[in-house]
Amino acid sequence: MTPIRPELQPELARYRSDYPILAHSVYMNSNSMGAMPRQAADALQKYTDDWAGEGVEVWPHWLDVMRDTADSAARFLNAPPGQTILNQNVAYFQAAIASCLEYSRGKNRVVVEALQFPNVLYVWDRFTDLGAELALVPSDDGMTIPTERMLEAIDERTAIVPLSHGIYVSGALQDITAITRRAHEVGALVMVDVYQTAGAVPIDVAEWDADIVVGGSHKWLCGGPGTAFMWMKPEVRERLRPRLVGWMGHQDPFAFEAPPIRFADDHRHFLAGTPSIPAYYVARAAYENLHEIGVPRIRAHNLALCQRIIDRAQAAGLVVHSPLEHERRTGFVAVDFAGSEEASKVLIDERYKLDWRPNCGLRLGPHFYNTEAEVESMMDRIVALAGRA
């Protein structure tokens, strides 16, 4: 194991008052759903005030909120402004991209890791009815997918590789740059899902050279459900035409023209129907603390706390179902033992916030607002419960 022990940052504790649940819970489930910031309530009040004050004339302002929220999300990807759009969930973006492809022309393979989040697999599996061939790259350990195996699965028949930056059952990071390089050698697109990593791991879309990056707000970004985002290379955007469309993707959505749709001539042509405006107000407000802190600082603090989880788990003889090397893991550590599912229920009843997944165990995701004392308290209870299992 690479001995990376970044310094804890106790000064981050000043942000704790912005997250009400921390006053009565040890909240280490940001890998599943980030703690709600108090600014969310203020943002929703602003939404209702704007709507009440302006009525239907509020739409131009709402479009500004969409733009500002999208550009704020783009900062977590190190992507330029004006190239990112919003929708309610990543499943829509996956389906929209899938709807652009022609599966009857020889390039019909969809290469994806078998440990991909089922939500994504559900989408691509339905396109097998139209000729897509779903090629699931298997795992030997239920935790990781060997990069070499991903590279070998990508061939001249491959149309797209919709992969995860971080594998949801273990937090294992994938080598996006290497996979993208191989996909581009055979003329395939790459779409990276960063839902498991955005806000916890530094991301640079230019460094990856990925074609499309999708993610969402309700995990590490603490932005609640209903705000997903998609960035796409401009040159890729120009040649893709989705069959999954909506009025907001029209060049002039308020013209209400009869079909066929006249696609917007920029990134907006992947927009769909009426957007979830209240969610965008919340997400925009939630992002502010993370931007102020910066993802590199968040990452350093997270790794220090995760190392303590690993040390305590290994000392107690528990199974760590995550990579031990920090550079190979996202922001959570999976800890397992006999009876872990029942233990998770006990912990949650005691206001230790975490989640449990099959073939994974307890997922512990400390964020910038967590402290070393909270990690020790939670691990004390986990070790005690494991000893009784």
Side-chain angles (χ1 to χ4, degrees), residues 76-321:
F76 296 111
L77 312 177
N78 200 27
Q83 296 179 0
T84 300
I85 61 169
L86 306 177
N87 209 287
Q88 285 86 334
N89 52 66
V90 160
Y92 167 78
F93 286 134
Q94 297 276 347
I97 296 300
S99 78
C100 297
L101 305 180
E102 299 291 344
Y103 302 102
S104 59
R105 298 181 180 176
K107 290 181 75 68
N108 68 333
R109 294 193 89 206
V110 179
V111 175
V112 59
E113 70 271 18
L115 298 179
Q116 173 65 269
F117 190 64
N119 180 56
V120 173
L121 297 180
Y122 296 156
V123 171
W124 288 97
D125 181 69
R126 293 302 300 129
F127 281 84
T128 60
D129 285 355
L130 300 180
E133 177 193 339
L134 196 58
L136 297 179
V137 181
S139 169
D140 294 326
D141 58 10
M143 185 173 71
T144 60
I145 305 287
T147 300
E148 296 75 17
R149 193 171 290 172
M150 288 291 294
L151 301 181
E152 291 167 1
I154 299 168
D155 60 19
E156 287 73 13
R157 298 168 294 165
T158 303
I160 190 168
V161 183
L163 75 161
S164 293
H165 183 203
I167 293 173
Y168 84 102
V169 293
S170 65
L173 292 173
Q174 300 207 78
D175 189 340
I176 304 300
T177 302
I179 295 169
T180 298
R181 186 183 305 116
R182 172 58 184 154
H184 288 171
E185 287 175 355
V186 299
L189 294 172
V190 174
M191 177 162 55
V192 185
D193 186 338
V194 299
Y195 225 131
Q196 307 292 331
T197 53
V201 180
I203 293 168
D204 189 324
V205 295
E207 181 179 312
W208 283 348
D209 197 30
D211 302 292
I212 306 158
V213 176
V214 296
S217 294
H218 77 263
K219 296 182 185 289
W220 301 105
L221 298 180
C222 302
T227 303
F229 46 85
M230 179 172 73
W231 170 86
M232 187 182 306
K233 285 180 177 177
E235 61 269 28
V236 172
R237 181 199 71 220
E238 289 170 4
R239 62 186 174 88
L240 294 182
R241 290 293 180 267
R243 294 179 175 88
L244 193 62
V245 298
W247 71 290
M248 292 299 295
H250 193 280
Q251 175 65 23
D252 182 3
F254 292 95
F256 305 111
E257 296 176 355
I261 187 171
R262 186 160 51 92
F263 282 112
D265 58 10
D266 58 17
H267 65 287
R268 292 176 299 119
H269 80 249
F270 273 91
L271 293 174
T274 302
S276 55
I277 297 296
Y280 304 160
Y281 273 75
V282 170
R284 182 178 60 170
Y287 296 165
E288 291 178 3
N289 278 350
L290 283 88
H291 285 316
E292 184 175 301
I293 298 166
V295 175
R297 288 185 68 199
I298 292 172
R299 176 68 166 164
H301 186 70
N302 168 269
L303 292 182
L305 295 178
C306 283
Q307 185 62 58
R308 189 56 187 152
I309 293 171
I310 291 170
D311 291 345
R312 290 290 308 273
Q314 289 184 321
L318 309 183
V319 175
V320 177
H321 193 76

Side-chain angles (χ1 to χ4, degrees), residues 74 92 272 335 363:
Y92 167 78
V335 176
R363 298 196 307 171

